[in-house]
Amino acid sequence: MPAQPAPPAPIRHIETLDDVIDALDTVIQWSIGASSRLGYFATMYKRITIAVRTAVNEGAFEDGPRMARFDVAFANRYFDALNGYFHPREFAKPTRSWQVTFDSATRPEPIILQHMLAGVNTHIDLDLGITVQQIAPGTKLSQLHEDFNRINAVLASQVNGLVEDINEISPALADLYAVLMQHQIFVINQVVRTTRDSAWRFATFLNMQPGFTRPVSIWLRDRKVAGQTEVIYDPPGLIGLIEMMVQAVAARESRDIVRNIQVLDMIASTPAPIRTVI
């Protein structure tokens, strides 16, 4: 039985967007060394963060410094979850949603896109609303809404671009994209918009509550999102078309985890064209 790779070192002191990118590079390099599928989401996240940093530097937001702080706080929830997963004696255990996502990285059956979308689902549908309420509590919440929509449009543009660029390691996915291109972009945009709006409603709900009740609301939300994450990995049998599409992609997709991550990391270094409107 092969030896288990040593866990990555804890990620600490994340204060800037540059720190976020450096920390993601650490996760990616560990994933390459450990041949871990956790690197798939980390490469996507790196691409999104580089795009957000570019948007901040180009003045795309009403309040660029606030959105930089927002993005750092948002990323820290992911890094905290990783720390809790790999170092449970030092850090609080991850939420159930992240636990499902991290545990599923050991499964060989899901395709790359499933691993990525599971991370996106957990991070947006659980972490995003929590971060919004923490960064803009009380009357500040409404002032954040426009920039909140813009940063999610940046995210959507990078997910779309990644689907375009992934053909080197997933030719069947590229074929599907070529056939369904405009429809697939529409579906991705709709998913991001729906999840974004759900996260905003959750932030508003948390904002209306007294602080002592929020942990219960977050616990309940976590259970709901964990169920959604499980569905991403194991679509119900009734959704036959989705299952057939996943099987078709899996049959032709590269199973070389290390090479896949290396290719995705090269892609991540050059963001797709950035949009601020979905």
Side-chain angles (χ1 to χ4, degrees), residues 69-105:
R69 294 192 304 273
F70 175 91
D71 197 74
V72 170
F74 185 41
N76 269 317
R77 290 196 59 86
Y78 165 65
F79 295 133
D80 288 346
L82 275 176
N83 285 340
Y85 182 73
F86 284 111
H87 305 281
R89 294 183 180 179
E90 292 183 62
F91 301 92
K93 67 178 182 179
T95 59
R96 184 169 182 168
S97 305
W98 277 121
Q99 186 76 39
V100 170
T101 303
F102 296 154
D103 285 345
S104 297

Side-chain angles (χ1 to χ4, degrees), residues 162-180:
L162 185 68
V163 174
E164 291 178 349
D165 291 339
I166 206 171
N167 60 318
E168 184 173 344
I169 54 181
S170 189
L173 187 62
D175 290 346
L176 284 172
Y177 184 83
V179 173
L180 304 173

Side-chain angles (χ1 to χ4, degrees), residues 53-69:
R53 183 179 63 181
T54 300
V56 168
N57 292 339
E58 292 179 351
F61 301 107
E62 291 180 351
D63 188 336
R66 178 186 61 188
M67 295 315 292
R69 294 192 304 273

Side-chain angles (χ1 to χ4, degrees), residues 24 28 37-52 78 112-121 123-124 154-163 166 173 188 192 260-261 263-269 271-272:
L24 289 168
I28 291 166
R37 296 175 188 86
L38 291 178
Y40 294 155
F41 176 71
T43 57
M44 170 186 275
Y45 203 166
K46 177 180 175 181
R47 182 174 194 168
I48 293 168
T49 305
I50 292 173
V52 169
Y78 165 65
I112 294 170
L113 197 59
Q114 284 174 286
H115 288 294
M116 289 180 168
L117 291 181
V120 168
N121 175 70
H123 205 27
I124 293 181
V154 173
L155 183 154
S157 68
Q158 299 312 302
V159 174
N160 286 339
L162 185 68
V163 174
I166 206 171
L173 187 62
I188 290 172
V192 170
N260 291 347
I261 296 172
V263 170
L264 291 168
D265 189 35
M266 286 189 291
I267 293 171
S269 299

Side-chain angles (χ1 to χ4, degrees), residues 64-243:
R66 178 186 61 188
M67 295 315 292
R69 294 192 304 273
F70 175 91
D71 197 74
V72 170
F74 185 41
N76 269 317
R77 290 196 59 86
Y78 165 65
F79 295 133
D80 288 346
L82 275 176
N83 285 340
Y85 182 73
F86 284 111
H87 305 281
R89 294 183 180 179
E90 292 183 62
F91 301 92
K93 67 178 182 179
T95 59
R96 184 169 182 168
S97 305
W98 277 121
Q99 186 76 39
V100 170
T101 303
F102 296 154
D103 285 345
S104 297
T106 63
R107 297 175 54 186
E109 316 89 38
I111 61 176
I112 294 170
L113 197 59
Q114 284 174 286
H115 288 294
M116 289 180 168
L117 291 181
V120 168
N121 175 70
T122 294
H123 205 27
I124 293 181
D125 218 13
L126 178 66
D127 292 338
L128 188 58
I130 298 170
T131 304
V132 167
Q133 195 280 323
Q134 291 174 341
I135 291 294
T139 58
K140 296 179 182 178
L141 185 64
S142 61
Q143 300 170 17
L144 181 65
H145 201 187
E146 191 61 36
D147 275 347
F148 172 84
N149 289 339
R150 287 185 178 128
I151 203 167
N152 280 277
V154 173
L155 183 154
S157 68
Q158 299 312 302
V159 174
N160 286 339
L162 185 68
V163 174
E164 291 178 349
D165 291 339
I166 206 171
N167 60 318
E168 184 173 344
I169 54 181
S170 189
L173 187 62
D175 290 346
L176 284 172
Y177 184 83
V179 173
L180 304 173
M181 183 165 57
Q182 293 304 320
H183 299 289
Q184 187 154 325
I185 288 176
F186 175 78
V187 168
I188 290 172
N189 287 344
Q190 286 298 111
V191 168
V192 170
R193 183 184 291 111
T194 300
T195 310
R196 173 201 69 188
D197 292 346
S198 176
W200 183 262
R201 288 193 298 271
F202 183 49
T204 303
F205 178 61
L206 291 176
N207 203 45
M208 294 169 59
Q209 294 182 326
F212 69 88
T213 66
R214 287 177 192 144
V216 176
S217 297
I218 291 170
W219 184 90
L220 292 170
R221 178 81 168 194
D222 181 31
R223 265 53 190 172
K224 169 181 173 289
V225 175
Q228 295 169 183
T229 302
E230 290 170 346
V231 169
I232 289 173
Y233 283 111
D234 295 297
L238 293 177
I239 310 179
L241 179 60
I242 294 178
E243 186 175 2

